[in-house]
Amino acid sequence: MKFVGLVFKSARRNLRRTMLTVFSVAIAVFLFAALRAVLDGFHAAAEASSSTRIVTIRSTSMIFSMPSTHAEIVRGLPGVRDVTWASWFGGIYKDPKNFFGQFAIEPESYLRMFPEIVLTPEQKAAFLEDRTGCIVGDGLVKQFGWKLGDKIVLKVGIPIYGREDFPFTIRGIYKAGSNAVDNQTMLFHWKYADERSVRPGEVGWLVSEIANPDQAPQIADAIDRKFENTPYETKTDTEKAFQSSFASMFGNLDLLLGSIAIAVVVTTLFVAGNTMAMSVRERTTEIAVMRTLGYPSHIIFFLIAGEGLLMSLVGGVLGASLARVLVTPSTFGGNSFMPPFGVSGRNVVIGVLLSALIGVAAGLIPATMASRLKIVDALRRAA
Amino acid sequence: MTMALIELRDVTKTYKRDAIEIPVLESVTISVPEGDYLGLMGPSGSGKSTLLNLLAGIDRPTGGSIRIGDTEISTLSERALAAWRARHIGFIFQLYNLIPVLTAFENVELPLLLTSLSKKQRREHVMTALNIVSLADRAAHYPRQLSGGQEQRVAIARAIVTDPTLLLADEPTGDLDAKSAGEVLTLLQRLNTEYKKTIVMVTHDPHAAERATHLLHLEKGTLVEQVGA
Ligand SMILES: Nc1ncnc2c1ncn2[C@@H]1O[C@H](COP(=O)(O)OP(=O)(O)OP(=O)(O)O)[C@@H](O)[C@H]1O
Ligand SMILES: [Mg+2]
């Protein structure tokens, strides 16, 4: 349309101010898309978690452990098909800031119950044979530049594993077959850690495979009742619930990140709205002149609102594109508390729509002001 | 006698300021024939601009009727009035009022964007108007690259580009040096004689007043004399 050119020329009038508006919207949309990506990552992990796997932890918290003999008791319960266990190792690779998850697992059953951990048969065999072997996710391999056969050393992070360093050999590099597992974790033989533990025979948590997902609540109940009134009481829940509670260790992420996103967007709305109002006030005479030339008030309205929309959309596209390119798991240093995530196409679209919304909302009042302007008053003020 | 182009009957205008009514125009009756070049004079605050704004349809009278051509404009809706202005009025301001971010060409094109003319037709009209004001070579210049006199001539081109029924000018030479003012006045006179434009011009400048075919004096909101030519 012929008026679009006017909108562009108008936006160029005060280039610095236009740029500031564009960038503030870009930053808002960038933050919004990045926060959404993190949230989506957590939700996707919960969604992808298996409904036939239930997890048993100590009723107090997952950092307390329970005897490995619990596993045999659980295996005997009706409806339970398979059981495995794992412990949190918490070792340090070179520097505490190289944080990633390390699980001491019962290898055979664990790999059997987690088909999402994708390994070649040769690597799997090599891992099972080597007591000090480990398998690592391809995300970690990328982060640290490891390769098959590398020797890596973990310093002890939790004192129950003694003082001496733990050397490992990388026997396998796995890929994550779904969001239920992440590719930033190191897995190794539980026995290896247990040999040196001051509390041998203890495990962090149990994972049970059940025949029928509908029975999850009943079986979970049965497991927990089994250990009632023992020194090691348990709490059993589905993997999904476990994933969510894992995330909730950081507080209510949804609410926190959601509030941040809203605060940023609302602030930007005010900034953009104020900028628009300022530029309309400066242009009072021009608007009055255009009205004198016969421009009807609705076209004036659309010209001003269009300018707000244009600036916001440019900012939105900029911010969403940057988020898409820059926000990847490695943005957060490959922290293994973070599930794999990225800015989805859907979030790009939502981000751009959000910027459009900011633009329209910010332009609404100034555009109304401009279209309601009394021509003679505006001309008189300038003279 | 042919019907006058402009017919004002008992036009009054009062402004309200804090419940106090300020009468600005009191029972003004004028008729202006087509092709006239009318000069409006009078002391500051006598209501000249107010009267011109009423003729331009950018302000509304408190009472009376204003007919221009065959349209009674005092009863038109806002929207109809805007469309009427676009079609019938060319307005020239004292301070030129060009849009600074648009070139001379784009400024002159501005009123044509409201018409259904094609891009090519608009271009032809704009260049014709710029040729009339002898500024075709400045089409790509921005207002800040032009002198005051040139800016005012671009503004005149903008006022005539739609071939309006009526040209209205509020102290068009008020901000110009004598030489530029002379050029602008010559231009307005040519528009009147050569192009048969009806012009109403508010002015303080006796040199400007000389060029008009009729003069009208306003004094405290009433017409005091009409000098024929
Ligand atoms: N919007 C308004 N509100 C209140 N008073 C107004 C308004 N517009 C004009 N006036 C008053 O009306 C009177 C006439 O104003 P107008 O601008 O028509 O005078 P003028 O003859 O054009 O004067 P000048 O030669 O100084 O331009 C002035 O006293 C002015 O203060
Ligand atoms: Mg005046």
PDB file of all heavy atoms in Angstrom, chain A residues 2-3 6 9 13 285-286 289 291-295 298 375-376 379, chain B residues 53 58 79 82 85-86 97 99-102 106 110 113-115 122:
ATOM      1  N   LYS A   2       0.296   2.313  -0.589  1.00  0.00           N
ATOM      2  CA  LYS A   2       1.082   3.543  -0.766  1.00  0.00           C
ATOM      3  C   LYS A   2       1.430   4.220   0.555  1.00  0.00           C
ATOM      4  O   LYS A   2       2.396   4.957   0.632  1.00  0.00           O
ATOM      5  CB  LYS A   2       0.342   4.509  -1.701  1.00  0.00           C
ATOM      6  CG  LYS A   2      -1.110   4.722  -1.333  1.00  0.00           C
ATOM      7  CD  LYS A   2      -1.888   5.376  -2.484  1.00  0.00           C
ATOM      8  CE  LYS A   2      -3.373   5.408  -2.173  1.00  0.00           C
ATOM      9  NZ  LYS A   2      -4.192   5.922  -3.259  1.00  0.00           N
ATOM     10  N   PHE A   3       0.640   3.932   1.616  1.00  0.00           N
ATOM     11  CA  PHE A   3       0.916   4.588   2.890  1.00  0.00           C
ATOM     12  C   PHE A   3       2.054   3.925   3.664  1.00  0.00           C
ATOM     13  O   PHE A   3       2.598   4.494   4.591  1.00  0.00           O
ATOM     14  CB  PHE A   3      -0.348   4.629   3.757  1.00  0.00           C
ATOM     15  CG  PHE A   3      -1.443   5.479   3.177  1.00  0.00           C
ATOM     16  CD1 PHE A   3      -2.614   4.909   2.716  1.00  0.00           C
ATOM     17  CD2 PHE A   3      -1.277   6.853   3.072  1.00  0.00           C
ATOM     18  CE1 PHE A   3      -3.617   5.702   2.172  1.00  0.00           C
ATOM     19  CE2 PHE A   3      -2.267   7.650   2.525  1.00  0.00           C
ATOM     20  CZ  PHE A   3      -3.439   7.075   2.068  1.00  0.00           C
ATOM     21  N   LEU A   6       5.132   5.901   3.844  1.00  0.00           N
ATOM     22  CA  LEU A   6       5.066   6.991   4.825  1.00  0.00           C
ATOM     23  C   LEU A   6       5.461   6.493   6.204  1.00  0.00           C
ATOM     24  O   LEU A   6       6.172   7.163   6.948  1.00  0.00           O
ATOM     25  CB  LEU A   6       3.641   7.559   4.892  1.00  0.00           C
ATOM     26  CG  LEU A   6       3.195   8.509   3.787  1.00  0.00           C
ATOM     27  CD1 LEU A   6       1.774   8.991   4.071  1.00  0.00           C
ATOM     28  CD2 LEU A   6       4.143   9.693   3.700  1.00  0.00           C
ATOM     29  N   LYS A   9       9.231   6.041   6.343  1.00  0.00           N
ATOM     30  CA  LYS A   9       9.959   7.315   6.397  1.00  0.00           C
ATOM     31  C   LYS A   9       9.791   7.963   7.762  1.00  0.00           C
ATOM     32  O   LYS A   9      10.710   8.573   8.291  1.00  0.00           O
ATOM     33  CB  LYS A   9       9.458   8.247   5.286  1.00  0.00           C
ATOM     34  CG  LYS A   9      10.099   7.896   3.955  1.00  0.00           C
ATOM     35  CD  LYS A   9       9.322   8.462   2.787  1.00  0.00           C
ATOM     36  CE  LYS A   9       9.667   7.708   1.528  1.00  0.00           C
ATOM     37  NZ  LYS A   9       8.527   7.704   0.590  1.00  0.00           N
ATOM     38  N   ARG A  13      12.702   8.986  11.048  1.00  0.00           N
ATOM     39  CA  ARG A  13      12.831  10.374  11.463  1.00  0.00           C
ATOM     40  C   ARG A  13      13.814  10.562  12.613  1.00  0.00           C
ATOM     41  O   ARG A  13      14.721  11.361  12.536  1.00  0.00           O
ATOM     42  CB  ARG A  13      11.441  10.864  11.878  1.00  0.00           C
ATOM     43  CG  ARG A  13      11.392  12.138  12.652  1.00  0.00           C
ATOM     44  CD  ARG A  13       9.973  12.340  13.133  1.00  0.00           C
ATOM     45  NE  ARG A  13       9.028  11.863  12.143  1.00  0.00           N
ATOM     46  CZ  ARG A  13       8.340  12.644  11.328  1.00  0.00           C
ATOM     47  NH1 ARG A  13       8.466  13.937  11.429  1.00  0.00           N
ATOM     48  NH2 ARG A  13       7.510  12.139  10.455  1.00  0.00           N
ATOM     49  N   THR A 285       2.189  19.205  14.883  1.00  0.00           N
ATOM     50  CA  THR A 285       1.936  20.088  13.748  1.00  0.00           C
ATOM     51  C   THR A 285       1.800  19.302  12.460  1.00  0.00           C
ATOM     52  O   THR A 285       0.891  19.522  11.664  1.00  0.00           O
ATOM     53  CB  THR A 285       3.085  21.093  13.594  1.00  0.00           C
ATOM     54  OG1 THR A 285       3.385  21.624  14.871  1.00  0.00           O
ATOM     55  CG2 THR A 285       2.713  22.200  12.643  1.00  0.00           C
ATOM     56  N   GLU A 286       2.736  18.368  12.263  1.00  0.00           N
ATOM     57  CA  GLU A 286       2.697  17.572  11.032  1.00  0.00           C
ATOM     58  C   GLU A 286       1.377  16.849  10.879  1.00  0.00           C
ATOM     59  O   GLU A 286       0.818  16.766   9.783  1.00  0.00           O
ATOM     60  CB  GLU A 286       3.805  16.517  11.074  1.00  0.00           C
ATOM     61  CG  GLU A 286       5.106  17.029  10.534  1.00  0.00           C
ATOM     62  CD  GLU A 286       6.186  15.999  10.709  1.00  0.00           C
ATOM     63  OE1 GLU A 286       5.916  14.810  10.423  1.00  0.00           O
ATOM     64  OE2 GLU A 286       7.272  16.373  11.147  1.00  0.00           O
ATOM     65  N   VAL A 289      -1.194  19.218   9.899  1.00  0.00           N
ATOM     66  CA  VAL A 289      -1.041  19.583   8.486  1.00  0.00           C
ATOM     67  C   VAL A 289      -1.650  18.490   7.605  1.00  0.00           C
ATOM     68  O   VAL A 289      -2.393  18.768   6.663  1.00  0.00           O
ATOM     69  CB  VAL A 289       0.448  19.802   8.143  1.00  0.00           C
ATOM     70  CG1 VAL A 289       0.640  19.871   6.631  1.00  0.00           C
ATOM     71  CG2 VAL A 289       0.960  21.075   8.802  1.00  0.00           C
ATOM     72  N   ARG A 291      -3.946  16.406   8.411  1.00  0.00           N
ATOM     73  CA  ARG A 291      -5.412  16.470   8.541  1.00  0.00           C
ATOM     74  C   ARG A 291      -5.966  17.599   7.676  1.00  0.00           C
ATOM     75  O   ARG A 291      -7.001  17.453   7.035  1.00  0.00           O
ATOM     76  CB  ARG A 291      -5.807  16.680  10.010  1.00  0.00           C
ATOM     77  CG  ARG A 291      -5.379  15.561  10.936  1.00  0.00           C
ATOM     78  CD  ARG A 291      -6.375  14.419  10.983  1.00  0.00           C
ATOM     79  NE  ARG A 291      -7.558  14.746  11.757  1.00  0.00           N
ATOM     80  CZ  ARG A 291      -8.783  14.771  11.273  1.00  0.00           C
ATOM     81  NH1 ARG A 291      -9.003  14.505  10.012  1.00  0.00           N
ATOM     82  NH2 ARG A 291      -9.802  15.062  12.046  1.00  0.00           N
ATOM     83  N   THR A 292      -5.253  18.749   7.654  1.00  0.00           N
ATOM     84  CA  THR A 292      -5.697  19.873   6.822  1.00  0.00           C
ATOM     85  C   THR A 292      -5.725  19.477   5.346  1.00  0.00           C
ATOM     86  O   THR A 292      -6.630  19.848   4.608  1.00  0.00           O
ATOM     87  CB  THR A 292      -4.764  21.086   7.013  1.00  0.00           C
ATOM     88  OG1 THR A 292      -4.707  21.406   8.398  1.00  0.00           O
ATOM     89  CG2 THR A 292      -5.252  22.293   6.232  1.00  0.00           C
ATOM     90  N   LEU A 293      -4.737  18.665   4.940  1.00  0.00           N
ATOM     91  CA  LEU A 293      -4.686  18.224   3.548  1.00  0.00           C
ATOM     92  C   LEU A 293      -5.815  17.260   3.212  1.00  0.00           C
ATOM     93  O   LEU A 293      -5.981  16.863   2.066  1.00  0.00           O
ATOM     94  CB  LEU A 293      -3.361  17.517   3.255  1.00  0.00           C
ATOM     95  CG  LEU A 293      -2.072  18.337   3.377  1.00  0.00           C
ATOM     96  CD1 LEU A 293      -0.866  17.477   3.036  1.00  0.00           C
ATOM     97  CD2 LEU A 293      -2.129  19.556   2.470  1.00  0.00           C
ATOM     98  N   GLY A 294      -6.541  16.847   4.249  1.00  0.00           N
ATOM     99  CA  GLY A 294      -7.686  15.983   3.990  1.00  0.00           C
ATOM    100  C   GLY A 294      -7.505  14.544   4.467  1.00  0.00           C
ATOM    101  O   GLY A 294      -8.345  13.693   4.185  1.00  0.00           O
ATOM    102  N   TYR A 295      -6.398  14.279   5.184  1.00  0.00           N
ATOM    103  CA  TYR A 295      -6.230  12.923   5.717  1.00  0.00           C
ATOM    104  C   TYR A 295      -7.272  12.676   6.792  1.00  0.00           C
ATOM    105  O   TYR A 295      -7.350  13.425   7.763  1.00  0.00           O
ATOM    106  CB  TYR A 295      -4.817  12.733   6.289  1.00  0.00           C
ATOM    107  CG  TYR A 295      -3.811  12.371   5.228  1.00  0.00           C
ATOM    108  CD1 TYR A 295      -3.390  13.316   4.303  1.00  0.00           C
ATOM    109  CD2 TYR A 295      -3.305  11.077   5.130  1.00  0.00           C
ATOM    110  CE1 TYR A 295      -2.492  12.998   3.304  1.00  0.00           C
ATOM    111  CE2 TYR A 295      -2.402  10.741   4.125  1.00  0.00           C
ATOM    112  CZ  TYR A 295      -1.999  11.702   3.220  1.00  0.00           C
ATOM    113  OH  TYR A 295      -1.120  11.373   2.231  1.00  0.00           O
ATOM    114  N   HIS A 298      -8.933   8.180  10.621  1.00  0.00           N
ATOM    115  CA  HIS A 298      -8.597   6.752  10.726  1.00  0.00           C
ATOM    116  C   HIS A 298      -7.280   6.429  10.002  1.00  0.00           C
ATOM    117  O   HIS A 298      -6.549   5.545  10.414  1.00  0.00           O
ATOM    118  CB  HIS A 298      -9.753   5.860  10.256  1.00  0.00           C
ATOM    119  CG  HIS A 298     -10.033   5.935   8.784  1.00  0.00           C
ATOM    120  ND1 HIS A 298     -10.877   6.868   8.238  1.00  0.00           N
ATOM    121  CD2 HIS A 298      -9.563   5.195   7.760  1.00  0.00           C
ATOM    122  CE1 HIS A 298     -10.920   6.695   6.926  1.00  0.00           C
ATOM    123  NE2 HIS A 298     -10.124   5.686   6.607  1.00  0.00           N
ATOM    124  N   ILE A 375      -7.411  20.134  14.875  1.00  0.00           N
ATOM    125  CA  ILE A 375      -6.457  20.693  13.911  1.00  0.00           C
ATOM    126  C   ILE A 375      -6.031  22.118  14.272  1.00  0.00           C
ATOM    127  O   ILE A 375      -4.841  22.412  14.354  1.00  0.00           O
ATOM    128  CB  ILE A 375      -7.060  20.694  12.489  1.00  0.00           C
ATOM    129  CG1 ILE A 375      -7.506  19.275  12.112  1.00  0.00           C
ATOM    130  CG2 ILE A 375      -6.059  21.232  11.489  1.00  0.00           C
ATOM    131  CD1 ILE A 375      -8.255  19.209  10.807  1.00  0.00           C
ATOM    132  N   VAL A 376      -7.022  22.987  14.507  1.00  0.00           N
ATOM    133  CA  VAL A 376      -6.666  24.396  14.715  1.00  0.00           C
ATOM    134  C   VAL A 376      -5.847  24.591  15.986  1.00  0.00           C
ATOM    135  O   VAL A 376      -4.914  25.399  16.011  1.00  0.00           O
ATOM    136  CB  VAL A 376      -7.911  25.317  14.737  1.00  0.00           C
ATOM    137  CG1 VAL A 376      -8.391  25.553  13.327  1.00  0.00           C
ATOM    138  CG2 VAL A 376      -9.015  24.743  15.594  1.00  0.00           C
ATOM    139  N   LEU A 379      -2.298  23.528  15.203  1.00  0.00           N
ATOM    140  CA  LEU A 379      -1.597  24.499  14.355  1.00  0.00           C
ATOM    141  C   LEU A 379      -1.239  25.749  15.153  1.00  0.00           C
ATOM    142  O   LEU A 379      -0.179  26.320  14.999  1.00  0.00           O
ATOM    143  CB  LEU A 379      -2.472  24.881  13.158  1.00  0.00           C
ATOM    144  CG  LEU A 379      -2.634  23.807  12.086  1.00  0.00           C
ATOM    145  CD1 LEU A 379      -3.625  24.258  11.031  1.00  0.00           C
ATOM    146  CD2 LEU A 379      -1.288  23.479  11.439  1.00  0.00           C
TER     147      LEU A 379
ATOM    148  N   ASN B  53      -9.725  29.501   8.683  1.00  0.00           N
ATOM    149  CA  ASN B  53      -9.855  28.109   9.116  1.00  0.00           C
ATOM    150  C   ASN B  53     -11.282  27.598   8.925  1.00  0.00           C
ATOM    151  O   ASN B  53     -11.487  26.419   8.613  1.00  0.00           O
ATOM    152  CB  ASN B  53      -9.441  27.960  10.582  1.00  0.00           C
ATOM    153  CG  ASN B  53      -7.946  28.194  10.776  1.00  0.00           C
ATOM    154  OD1 ASN B  53      -7.185  28.145   9.807  1.00  0.00           O
ATOM    155  ND2 ASN B  53      -7.541  28.446  12.008  1.00  0.00           N
ATOM    156  N   ILE B  58     -11.393  23.332   8.651  1.00  0.00           N
ATOM    157  CA  ILE B  58     -10.636  22.697   9.733  1.00  0.00           C
ATOM    158  C   ILE B  58     -11.128  23.213  11.084  1.00  0.00           C
ATOM    159  O   ILE B  58     -10.618  22.830  12.123  1.00  0.00           O
ATOM    160  CB  ILE B  58      -9.105  22.906   9.593  1.00  0.00           C
ATOM    161  CG1 ILE B  58      -8.745  24.383   9.533  1.00  0.00           C
ATOM    162  CG2 ILE B  58      -8.584  22.178   8.367  1.00  0.00           C
ATOM    163  CD1 ILE B  58      -7.231  24.635   9.479  1.00  0.00           C
ATOM    164  N   ARG B  79     -15.735  13.077   8.932  1.00  0.00           N
ATOM    165  CA  ARG B  79     -15.185  12.273   7.854  1.00  0.00           C
ATOM    166  C   ARG B  79     -15.467  12.891   6.483  1.00  0.00           C
ATOM    167  O   ARG B  79     -14.582  12.983   5.631  1.00  0.00           O
ATOM    168  CB  ARG B  79     -15.785  10.873   7.939  1.00  0.00           C
ATOM    169  CG  ARG B  79     -14.936   9.843   7.272  1.00  0.00           C
ATOM    170  CD  ARG B  79     -15.392   8.471   7.714  1.00  0.00           C
ATOM    171  NE  ARG B  79     -14.609   7.480   7.002  1.00  0.00           N
ATOM    172  CZ  ARG B  79     -14.287   6.311   7.522  1.00  0.00           C
ATOM    173  NH1 ARG B  79     -14.661   6.014   8.750  1.00  0.00           N
ATOM    174  NH2 ARG B  79     -13.600   5.449   6.822  1.00  0.00           N
ATOM    175  N   ALA B  82     -13.308  15.947   5.959  1.00  0.00           N
ATOM    176  CA  ALA B  82     -11.931  15.621   5.570  1.00  0.00           C
ATOM    177  C   ALA B  82     -11.873  15.310   4.075  1.00  0.00           C
ATOM    178  O   ALA B  82     -10.993  15.797   3.355  1.00  0.00           O
ATOM    179  CB  ALA B  82     -11.411  14.436   6.385  1.00  0.00           C
ATOM    180  N   ARG B  85     -12.235  18.518   2.181  1.00  0.00           N
ATOM    181  CA  ARG B  85     -10.990  19.297   2.178  1.00  0.00           C
ATOM    182  C   ARG B  85     -10.021  18.755   1.137  1.00  0.00           C
ATOM    183  O   ARG B  85      -9.392  19.506   0.391  1.00  0.00           O
ATOM    184  CB  ARG B  85     -10.299  19.221   3.553  1.00  0.00           C
ATOM    185  CG  ARG B  85     -10.892  20.069   4.631  1.00  0.00           C
ATOM    186  CD  ARG B  85      -9.914  20.243   5.783  1.00  0.00           C
ATOM    187  NE  ARG B  85      -9.510  18.994   6.432  1.00  0.00           N
ATOM    188  CZ  ARG B  85     -10.163  18.441   7.449  1.00  0.00           C
ATOM    189  NH1 ARG B  85     -11.258  19.005   7.917  1.00  0.00           N
ATOM    190  NH2 ARG B  85      -9.727  17.333   7.986  1.00  0.00           N
ATOM    191  N   ALA B  86      -9.899  17.431   1.134  1.00  0.00           N
ATOM    192  CA  ALA B  86      -8.951  16.812   0.205  1.00  0.00           C
ATOM    193  C   ALA B  86      -9.292  17.180  -1.237  1.00  0.00           C
ATOM    194  O   ALA B  86      -8.412  17.412  -2.054  1.00  0.00           O
ATOM    195  CB  ALA B  86      -8.958  15.293   0.388  1.00  0.00           C
ATOM    196  N   ASN B  97       5.197  24.457   6.714  1.00  0.00           N
ATOM    197  CA  ASN B  97       4.716  23.178   7.234  1.00  0.00           C
ATOM    198  C   ASN B  97       4.908  22.013   6.278  1.00  0.00           C
ATOM    199  O   ASN B  97       4.008  21.191   6.077  1.00  0.00           O
ATOM    200  CB  ASN B  97       3.251  23.267   7.633  1.00  0.00           C
ATOM    201  CG  ASN B  97       3.085  23.980   8.966  1.00  0.00           C
ATOM    202  OD1 ASN B  97       4.045  24.056   9.742  1.00  0.00           O
ATOM    203  ND2 ASN B  97       1.916  24.494   9.227  1.00  0.00           N
ATOM    204  N   ILE B  99       6.648  18.367   5.491  1.00  0.00           N
ATOM    205  CA  ILE B  99       7.029  17.256   6.370  1.00  0.00           C
ATOM    206  C   ILE B  99       8.541  17.036   6.202  1.00  0.00           C
ATOM    207  O   ILE B  99       9.005  16.737   5.098  1.00  0.00           O
ATOM    208  CB  ILE B  99       6.261  15.963   5.992  1.00  0.00           C
ATOM    209  CG1 ILE B  99       4.751  16.224   5.864  1.00  0.00           C
ATOM    210  CG2 ILE B  99       6.559  14.846   6.972  1.00  0.00           C
ATOM    211  CD1 ILE B  99       4.026  16.528   7.130  1.00  0.00           C
ATOM    212  N   PRO B 100       9.315  17.209   7.272  1.00  0.00           N
ATOM    213  CA  PRO B 100      10.778  17.219   7.131  1.00  0.00           C
ATOM    214  C   PRO B 100      11.383  15.903   6.627  1.00  0.00           C
ATOM    215  O   PRO B 100      12.446  15.925   6.017  1.00  0.00           O
ATOM    216  CB  PRO B 100      11.279  17.530   8.552  1.00  0.00           C
ATOM    217  CG  PRO B 100      10.124  17.275   9.456  1.00  0.00           C
ATOM    218  CD  PRO B 100       8.884  17.485   8.660  1.00  0.00           C
ATOM    219  N   VAL B 101      10.710  14.775   6.887  1.00  0.00           N
ATOM    220  CA  VAL B 101      11.313  13.500   6.466  1.00  0.00           C
ATOM    221  C   VAL B 101      10.955  13.135   5.025  1.00  0.00           C
ATOM    222  O   VAL B 101      11.385  12.093   4.533  1.00  0.00           O
ATOM    223  CB  VAL B 101      10.915  12.325   7.389  1.00  0.00           C
ATOM    224  CG1 VAL B 101      11.584  12.476   8.733  1.00  0.00           C
ATOM    225  CG2 VAL B 101       9.414  12.216   7.531  1.00  0.00           C
ATOM    226  N   LEU B 102      10.164  14.010   4.384  1.00  0.00           N
ATOM    227  CA  LEU B 102       9.796  13.721   2.999  1.00  0.00           C
ATOM    228  C   LEU B 102      10.485  14.710   2.060  1.00  0.00           C
ATOM    229  O   LEU B 102      10.679  15.878   2.410  1.00  0.00           O
ATOM    230  CB  LEU B 102       8.276  13.818   2.816  1.00  0.00           C
ATOM    231  CG  LEU B 102       7.417  12.894   3.675  1.00  0.00           C
ATOM    232  CD1 LEU B 102       5.936  13.102   3.361  1.00  0.00           C
ATOM    233  CD2 LEU B 102       7.792  11.428   3.468  1.00  0.00           C
ATOM    234  N   GLU B 106       7.854  14.115  -2.477  1.00  0.00           N
ATOM    235  CA  GLU B 106       6.953  13.348  -1.606  1.00  0.00           C
ATOM    236  C   GLU B 106       5.977  14.251  -0.863  1.00  0.00           C
ATOM    237  O   GLU B 106       4.819  13.882  -0.627  1.00  0.00           O
ATOM    238  CB  GLU B 106       7.772  12.523  -0.611  1.00  0.00           C
ATOM    239  CG  GLU B 106       8.529  11.384  -1.275  1.00  0.00           C
ATOM    240  CD  GLU B 106       9.667  10.839  -0.425  1.00  0.00           C
ATOM    241  OE1 GLU B 106      10.078  11.512   0.549  1.00  0.00           O
ATOM    242  OE2 GLU B 106      10.163   9.741  -0.754  1.00  0.00           O
ATOM    243  N   LEU B 110       1.853  14.030  -1.210  1.00  0.00           N
ATOM    244  CA  LEU B 110       1.065  13.666  -0.021  1.00  0.00           C
ATOM    245  C   LEU B 110      -0.460  13.737  -0.221  1.00  0.00           C
ATOM    246  O   LEU B 110      -1.167  12.766   0.070  1.00  0.00           O
ATOM    247  CB  LEU B 110       1.506  14.547   1.152  1.00  0.00           C
ATOM    248  CG  LEU B 110       1.439  13.988   2.564  1.00  0.00           C
ATOM    249  CD1 LEU B 110       2.082  12.612   2.667  1.00  0.00           C
ATOM    250  CD2 LEU B 110       2.127  14.949   3.524  1.00  0.00           C
ATOM    251  N   LEU B 113      -1.989  10.901  -2.380  1.00  0.00           N
ATOM    252  CA  LEU B 113      -2.091   9.530  -1.862  1.00  0.00           C
ATOM    253  C   LEU B 113      -3.525   9.214  -1.459  1.00  0.00           C
ATOM    254  O   LEU B 113      -3.913   8.055  -1.359  1.00  0.00           O
ATOM    255  CB  LEU B 113      -1.159   9.340  -0.658  1.00  0.00           C
ATOM    256  CG  LEU B 113       0.341   9.446  -0.951  1.00  0.00           C
ATOM    257  CD1 LEU B 113       1.137   9.246   0.330  1.00  0.00           C
ATOM    258  CD2 LEU B 113       0.760   8.413  -1.992  1.00  0.00           C
ATOM    259  N   LEU B 114      -4.314  10.261  -1.239  1.00  0.00           N
ATOM    260  CA  LEU B 114      -5.708  10.049  -0.840  1.00  0.00           C
ATOM    261  C   LEU B 114      -6.613   9.839  -2.047  1.00  0.00           C
ATOM    262  O   LEU B 114      -7.785   9.535  -1.894  1.00  0.00           O
ATOM    263  CB  LEU B 114      -6.209  11.254  -0.037  1.00  0.00           C
ATOM    264  CG  LEU B 114      -5.522  11.491   1.305  1.00  0.00           C
ATOM    265  CD1 LEU B 114      -5.919  12.844   1.871  1.00  0.00           C
ATOM    266  CD2 LEU B 114      -5.875  10.382   2.290  1.00  0.00           C
ATOM    267  N   THR B 115      -6.073  10.008  -3.245  1.00  0.00           N
ATOM    268  CA  THR B 115      -6.888   9.834  -4.452  1.00  0.00           C
ATOM    269  C   THR B 115      -6.662   8.436  -5.028  1.00  0.00           C
ATOM    270  O   THR B 115      -5.831   7.684  -4.538  1.00  0.00           O
ATOM    271  CB  THR B 115      -6.493  10.861  -5.530  1.00  0.00           C
ATOM    272  OG1 THR B 115      -5.164  10.564  -5.964  1.00  0.00           O
ATOM    273  CG2 THR B 115      -6.540  12.278  -4.986  1.00  0.00           C
ATOM    274  N   ARG B 122       0.243  10.059 -10.470  1.00  0.00           N
ATOM    275  CA  ARG B 122       0.650  10.926  -9.357  1.00  0.00           C
ATOM    276  C   ARG B 122       1.944  11.641  -9.712  1.00  0.00           C
ATOM    277  O   ARG B 122       2.100  12.840  -9.497  1.00  0.00           O
ATOM    278  CB  ARG B 122       0.845  10.099  -8.076  1.00  0.00           C
ATOM    279  CG  ARG B 122      -0.426   9.541  -7.477  1.00  0.00           C
ATOM    280  CD  ARG B 122      -0.280   9.249  -5.985  1.00  0.00           C
ATOM    281  NE  ARG B 122       0.778   8.307  -5.663  1.00  0.00           N
ATOM    282  CZ  ARG B 122       0.599   6.993  -5.561  1.00  0.00           C
ATOM    283  NH1 ARG B 122      -0.586   6.466  -5.775  1.00  0.00           N
ATOM    284  NH2 ARG B 122       1.608   6.206  -5.244  1.00  0.00           N
TER     285      ARG B 122
END
